[in-house]
């Protein structure tokens, strides 16, 4: 009787502890999951505030913000439209350079290289991914701008010390390369063996199989890498700011002209921590998130269309 | 195989070799650049030196000249003053400005017995000239009774300065700058940040991973949680910076901190690290065989006991991996910290004040009017050495981890 009582108490205490810890673990999980919502809510709230009539010092007209083609801190002109175009153009330029190289490198690592060489190349891609963005920024400000400047010089053009759209694109190309390559490797390795063996059995050469069968079958994984790379290119901040040049008007389509991206705008001349010039960076942050999300959706849509027509 | 086929295959294969070659070249060029520009600056002194050089003006009330021997170990380009026992060289600072650098100072040199003459709390305190300093201006009376000004400000060379020193009869004023350009403050701030961020992020991340892997049922809510965490890992770091100053700033404000601070940076980094820690921990929880859990439970252990005594120890390598990757991420992070910790390089970092990490110090150095490539590259080398070592270590650990359960 007595021992049963003790045992019951013991059992219930054990159960209480189990419940307590389960609750604790749940709180941690919940906290981790809720942050994305907090980020969106807080940034949107703060980013919208400059356009509301209650804003101290008067509201900034939202239409002017969304359609403006000038960004001048000195005369309080904040137009983001050309910056969006610049951001997209520089990222597309980066992908144009980087995408073919990373897909081919991935193919090399996954299918063509001898095993040892493939291991070394994988490590090299991983090391490239591990290099922090400020270091790439220093490299870009020291080396890439000089390339661009001398290239422009050979056309008889001059640049602002090499700070230019082209420098940004080359820098971003290097920075998104590891992301796209590693995802392409995963995609290529996931191609079923039957497909490649089938192709080889039909008499195709190894190279033909690699390019015609493997790459087309790995298409969706490679696209996923493209999206991720694009996201990284849009969101990259410190390194880009070092070579963008921060043009005040735009858009910039001249590869040797200075440019201004959403992220470089958010970092440029960051001194005060209040006032319109500070708060409007949150508005730019909202635009950045919309651009990233928008391109993701667009690419998904395009992919489905292409995928549909191929079947 | 036709000849045409052979050629086209050869070209296509060649393209993949070429692409890989470009990748190798990129890594090589980045490393080559930072080493070429920064390697000469790598030394142990750098780690203990402050960034800002201090300005001091000192006077010498009990001035007596001596006669000093030139030490044999001094290099030939050092000019030695036998009267004052000081060895000087010509140097350039980070902005290519001319300097008269104190290379050697005799232990008994009269220049060691100065007192501070600038107004302020330190007025009248003893102060010595120190090695590595730049002599900006030295005002003295020479043997003819004439007042002479020499030093970097007067564009005097080391030789001119020593020549004037050797004709000294009376010292007036010495204005010098102590050596700056170090990374001590950023190094300390980086360590604070690493410690504090991990202290916050590791428990939460591990607990969240345990919840997701051990408790959560496979339903819509869990799926939503997982995808929320997944999305968090794709957020650009500059957005995390905005998050820090909007979502987390009230927390530090409640602690009585009203500016950017290392604590705010640590809270922000904790959020940045959460997805990474959760993913790594969960990966290692997944490979712990289910039999271990059954065995523990059937022996009468509670679920809590099973988690803490059986599962977590087995998942320790994953936690270690997560920790190393987190450190690497913190060291490389810049955009989020520019917003939450500011860009002012602090030589004496405090948790409740802004400071720069090594990476943000690079940003500060590069975003000024005159980018300081030398110091930036030197810091880059240090960062790369740490980050690349950590990543290779992680690779080795995870390799062993994979082996462990497959045997």
């Amino acid at each position: 009787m007595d021992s049963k009582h003790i045992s019951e108490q013991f059992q219930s205490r054990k159960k209480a502890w189990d419940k307590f810890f389960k609750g604790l673990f749940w709180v941690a999980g919940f906290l981790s999951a809720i942050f994305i919502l907090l980020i969106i809510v807080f940034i949107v709230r703060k980013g919208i505030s400059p356009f509301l009539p209650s804003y101290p010092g008067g509201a900034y007209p939202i239409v002017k913000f969304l359609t403006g083609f000038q960004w001048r801190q000195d005369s309080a002109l904040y137009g983001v439209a050309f910056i969006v175009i610049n951001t997209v153009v520089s990222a597309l330029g980066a992908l144009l350079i980087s995408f073919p190289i990373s897909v081919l490198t991935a193919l090399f690592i996954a299918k063509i290289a001898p095993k040892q060489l493939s291991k070394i190349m994988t490590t090299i891609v991983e090391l490239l991914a591990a290099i922090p963005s400020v270091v790439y920024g220093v490299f870009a400000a020291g080396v890439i701008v000089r390339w661009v400047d001398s290239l422009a010089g050979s056309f008889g053009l001059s640049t602002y010390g090499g700070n230019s759209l082209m420098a940004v694109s080359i820098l971003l190309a290097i920075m998104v390369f590891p992301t796209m390559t590693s995802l392409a490797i995963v995609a290529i390795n996931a191609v079923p063996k039957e497909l490649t063996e089938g192709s080889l059995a039909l008499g195709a050469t190894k190279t033909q199989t690699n390019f015609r069968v493997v790459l087309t079958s790995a298409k969706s994984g490679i696209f996923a890498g493209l999206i991720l790379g694009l996201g990284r290119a849009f969101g990259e901040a410190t390194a880009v700011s070092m070579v963008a040049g921060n043009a005040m008007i735009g858009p910039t389509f001249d590869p040797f002209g200075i440019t201004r991206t959403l992220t470089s705008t958010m970092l440029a001349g960051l001194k005060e921590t209040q006032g319109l010039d500070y708060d409007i960076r949150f508005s730019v942050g909202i635009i950045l998130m919309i651009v990233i999300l928008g391109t993701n959706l667009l690419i998904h849509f395009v992919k489905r269309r292409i995928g549909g027509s191929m079947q | 195989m036709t000849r045409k086929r052979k050629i086209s295959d050869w070209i296509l294969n060649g393209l993949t070799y070429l692409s890989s070659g470009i990748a190798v070249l990129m890594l090589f060029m980045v490393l080559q650049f930072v080493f070429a520009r920064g390697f000469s600056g790598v030394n142990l002194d750098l780690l203990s030196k402050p960034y800002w050089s201090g300005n001091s003006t000192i006077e010498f009330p009990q001035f007596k000249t001596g006669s000093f021997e030139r030490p044999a170990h001094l290099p030939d380009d050092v000019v030695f003053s036998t009267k004052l026992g000081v060895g000087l060289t010509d140097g350039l600072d980070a902005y290519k400005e001319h300097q008269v650098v104190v290379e050697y100072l005799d232990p008994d040199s009269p220049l060691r017995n100065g007192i501070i003459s600038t107004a302020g709390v330190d007025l009248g305190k003893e102060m010595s000239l120190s090695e590595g300093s730049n002599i900006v201006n030295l005002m003295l009376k020479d043997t003819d009774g004439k007042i002479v000004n020499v030093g970097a400000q007067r564009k005097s060379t080391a030789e001119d300065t020593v020549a004037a020193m050797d004709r000294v009869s009376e010292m007036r004023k010495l204005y010098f700058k102590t050596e700056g350009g170090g990374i001590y403050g950023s190094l300390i701030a980086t360590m604070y940040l690493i410690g504090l961020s991990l202290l916050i992020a590791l428990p939460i991340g591990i607990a969240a991973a345990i919840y997701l892997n051990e408790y959560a049922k496979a339903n819509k809510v869990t799926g939503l949680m997982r995808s929320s965490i997944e999305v968090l890992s794709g957020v650009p770091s500059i957005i995390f910076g905005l998050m820090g100053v909007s979502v987390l700033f009230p927390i530090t404000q409640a602690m009585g901190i009203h500016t950017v601070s290392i604590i705010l940076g640590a809270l922000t980094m904790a959020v940045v690290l959460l997805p990474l820690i959760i993913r790594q921990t969960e990966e290692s929880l997944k490979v712990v065989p289910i039999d271990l859990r059954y065995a523990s439970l059937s022996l009468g252990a509670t679920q809590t006991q099973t988690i803490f005594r059986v599962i977590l120890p087995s998942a320790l390598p994953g936690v270690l991996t997560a920790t190393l990757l987190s450190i690497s991420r913190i060291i490389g992070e810049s955009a989020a910290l520019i917003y939450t910790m500011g860009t002012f390089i602090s030589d004496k970092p405090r948790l409740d004040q802004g400071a720069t990490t090594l990476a943000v110090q690079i940003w500060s150095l590069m975003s000024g009017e005159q980018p300081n490539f030398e110091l930036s590259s030197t810091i880059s080398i240090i960062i790369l050495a740490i980050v690349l070592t950590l990543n290779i270590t992680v690779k080795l650990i995870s390799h062993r981890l994979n082996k462990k359960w497959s045997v």
Side-chain angles (χ1 to χ4, degrees), chain B residues 153-169:
Chain B
Q153 208 171 44
R154 310 277 162 171
K155 310 247 182 271
S156 329
T157 60
E159 211 159 320
D160 295 343
T161 313
V162 167
M165 281 175 168
D166 280 343
R167 287 171 51 77
V168 66
S169 67

Side-chain angles (χ1 to χ4, degrees), chain A residues 14 17-18 21-22 25-26 28-33 35-36 38-39 42-43 46 100-101 104-105 107-108 112 114 119 121 123-124 126-128 130-136 138-139 141-143 146-147 174 177 205 207-208 211 235 237-238 241-242 263 266-267 270 278 281-282 285 288-289 292, chain B residues 1 5 9 12-13 15-17 19-20 22-24 26-27 29-30 33-34 37 204 207-208 210-211 215 225 228-229 231-232 235-236 238-240 242-243 245-248 271 274 278 300 302-304 307-308 332 334-335 338-339 359 362-363 366 373 376-377 380 383-384 387-388 391-392 395:
Chain A
K14 274 198 328 195
W17 272 116
D18 267 7
F21 272 104
K22 186 179 175 183
F25 294 141
W26 180 83
F30 179 74
L31 199 66
S32 313
F35 256 105
I36 187 72
L38 287 178
I39 291 176
F42 273 74
I43 293 181
K46 194 151 182 181
I101 299 178
L104 289 173
T105 307
L107 191 64
F108 179 76
I112 294 169
K119 266 192 184 159
M121 281 305 300
T123 312
I124 285 177
E126 282 167 0
L127 291 185
L128 277 170
I131 295 178
S133 76
V134 270
V135 176
Y136 278 120
V138 174
F139 173 72
V143 176
R146 279 214 310 266
W147 295 345
I174 300 177
F177 169 81
T205 63
T207 313
Q208 258 178 318
F211 278 83
T238 30
S241 310
M242 291 185 195
T263 48
M266 288 160 80
L267 281 181
L270 184 66
Y278 185 70
R281 290 162 202 265
F282 287 81
L288 176 64
M289 292 197 285
I292 293 177
Chain B
M1 210 172 5
R5 175 87 268 143
D9 277 8
L12 287 175
N13 267 333
L15 278 179
T16 66
Y17 274 89
S19 301
S20 310
I22 293 174
V24 178
M26 285 193 294
L27 182 66
M29 277 190 306
V30 173
F33 173 76
V34 293
R37 292 300 284 270
I204 300 179
I210 290 174
Y211 176 75
Y215 291 97
M225 270 171 100
S228 303
I229 295 168
V231 172
L232 198 62
V235 172
I238 191 161
I239 297 289
F240 278 115
L242 296 183
M243 186 255 338
V245 285
S246 61
V247 181
L248 300 172
V271 179
L274 274 179
I278 293 174
T302 65
Q303 177 121 32
T304 312
I307 285 171
F308 282 105
S334 48
I338 290 172
Y339 268 89
I362 295 182
W363 161 259
M366 293 298 294
F373 276 105
S376 299
S377 303
S380 296
I383 290 181
L384 283 178
V387 168
L388 298 187
N391 276 272
I392 290 172
K395 221 181 149 180

Side-chain angles (χ1 to χ4, degrees), chain B residues 371-397:
Chain B
N372 181 345
F373 276 105
E374 273 64 33
L375 187 52
S376 299
S377 303
T378 306
I379 303 175
S380 296
I381 294 175
I382 296 171
I383 290 181
L384 283 178
I386 302 173
V387 168
L388 298 187
T389 314
L390 283 173
N391 276 272
I392 290 172
T393 315
V394 165
K395 221 181 149 180
L396 295 178
I397 293 177

Side-chain angles (χ1 to χ4, degrees), chain B residues 316-360:
Chain B
L316 215 56
V319 176
L320 185 63
T321 308
T323 309
L324 295 182
L325 286 177
S326 300
I327 294 174
S328 160
R329 175 87 203 245
I330 297 169
I331 290 175
E333 182 58 62
S334 48
L337 297 177
I338 290 172
Y339 268 89
T340 51
M341 277 169 58
T343 54
F344 182 75
I345 301 165
S346 165
D347 280 330
K348 292 193 180 82
R350 279 176 43 180
L351 288 181
D352 59 349
Q353 284 175 352
T356 57
T357 64
L358 292 172
V360 182

